[in-house]
Amino acid sequence: MHRPLLCLCCTAAAFAPLPQRRPAALLQSSRNPVPPEDKPNRPPGIDPTQLPDASTAAGVAQILEVTFVNACMQLATGYVDTLKLFIAAALTAYERGFTVNALSLELAQCPTQTAGRPLMQEEVDLRTVWLSLVYLTLANVRHESEASEAVGASVPAEIRAKFQTFVYDVVNAAQGGYTLESLKLEDMLRRQGTDSESLGAVEKAILGQSMRVVFLTLTVRDEAAA
């Protein structure tokens, strides 16, 4: 029986963040990244040179499909290399003006099943949340896009309602000097008037990973511009 990816992501929330290493070269337009530096303790990942071309929505969707599954599995070990590849692909999609809906349609038609089975609905929903978090973060910092209004407005309404203020607060905290290690989820929730004790373990884990996605989106954006 396959272990749900959502469980792996929730398990990952229990791991303390490991020191970050410089990631692979990031997706820019249709250029794929080079493989990350090999490390003896690196968990199994993917070879970025084998990823599809990122110049089309279909190509980006294939990258999102394979990197999402691998990122969920890798997060359980405390590493974020593959999650950063997912974010880099989403950043490329944002720059090219591919909407969340267009990518979701391509993902639904993607023949690849990296998990070895069709994703469960909650896994598809989590992938959409991650993609939307990248878009909300990039819109918040006014990142350039070929269709900035369209991509910014393409985040599903229910995700925007739940996460827009959350993303705004995390971005402000990051710009104010906080790091992922120093910013506590409980503090973020308190700022929004939410009692963390009222949330279940799974919801806390998802919010904790959401905070990580926002921070890493800012990191990926900065490193792509360097």
Side-chain angles (χ1 to χ4, degrees), residues 96-163:
R96 287 185 167 272
F98 303 149
T99 64
V100 173
N101 185 57
L103 292 173
S104 295
L105 290 174
E106 294 291 349
L107 282 163
Q109 301 175 49
C110 184
T112 306
Q113 291 186 357
T114 304
R117 57 172 174 78
L119 295 185
M120 294 183 288
Q121 187 57 49
E122 56 264 37
E123 295 167 342
V124 173
D125 293 343
L126 179 63
R127 185 177 61 193
T128 303
V129 167
W130 282 9
L131 176 61
S132 298
L133 286 168
V134 175
Y135 274 41
L136 287 172
T137 303
L138 294 174
N140 189 277
V141 297
R142 300 183 185 280
H143 190 73
E144 292 186 3
S145 169
E146 294 179 11
S148 56
E149 290 188 12
V151 292
S154 71
V155 173
E158 64 276 13
I159 297 178
R160 180 182 299 278
K162 182 174 182 179
F163 287 102

Side-chain angles (χ1 to χ4, degrees), residues 198-218:
S198 66
L199 303 177
V202 172
E203 190 168 6
K204 284 183 182 179
I206 291 175
L207 287 174
Q209 291 301 343
S210 297
M211 194 162 67
R212 183 189 297 268
V213 171
V214 175
F215 266 97
L216 289 178
T217 298
L218 297 174

Side-chain angles (χ1 to χ4, degrees), residues 24-214:
L26 302 172
L27 289 167
Q28 293 181 355
S29 298
S30 62
R31 180 171 61 82
N32 282 0
V34 298
E37 179 185 357
D38 189 32
K39 298 287 184 180
N41 63 339
R42 179 187 299 279
I46 58 176
D47 182 355
T49 62
Q50 302 302 311
L51 293 175
D53 181 74
S55 63
T56 67
V60 171
Q62 291 180 57
I63 298 174
L64 293 174
E65 196 282 334
V66 67
T67 54
F68 171 74
V69 173
N70 282 277
C72 288
M73 294 186 290
Q74 196 183 67
L75 278 174
T77 69
Y79 284 79
V80 296
D81 293 342
T82 309
L83 176 55
K84 293 178 85 170
L85 289 178
F86 176 94
I87 291 171
L91 184 147
T92 296
Y94 184 95
E95 290 177 341
R96 287 185 167 272
F98 303 149
T99 64
V100 173
N101 185 57
L103 292 173
S104 295
L105 290 174
E106 294 291 349
L107 282 163
Q109 301 175 49
C110 184
T112 306
Q113 291 186 357
T114 304
R117 57 172 174 78
L119 295 185
M120 294 183 288
Q121 187 57 49
E122 56 264 37
E123 295 167 342
V124 173
D125 293 343
L126 179 63
R127 185 177 61 193
T128 303
V129 167
W130 282 9
L131 176 61
S132 298
L133 286 168
V134 175
Y135 274 41
L136 287 172
T137 303
L138 294 174
N140 189 277
V141 297
R142 300 183 185 280
H143 190 73
E144 292 186 3
S145 169
E146 294 179 11
S148 56
E149 290 188 12
V151 292
S154 71
V155 173
E158 64 276 13
I159 297 178
R160 180 182 299 278
K162 182 174 182 179
F163 287 102
Q164 181 159 300
T165 301
F166 180 85
V167 169
Y168 176 83
D169 287 341
V170 174
V171 169
N172 280 349
Q175 293 175 338
Y178 281 92
T179 65
L180 181 60
E181 291 77 13
S182 64
L183 184 62
K184 304 302 181 184
L185 177 61
E186 291 76 11
D187 295 335
M188 288 298 306
L189 295 174
R190 193 177 301 114
R191 294 181 188 184
Q192 298 176 26
T194 301
D195 181 6
S196 61
E197 297 299 322
S198 66
L199 303 177
V202 172
E203 190 168 6
K204 284 183 182 179
I206 291 175
L207 287 174
Q209 291 301 343
S210 297
M211 194 162 67
R212 183 189 297 268
V213 171
V214 175

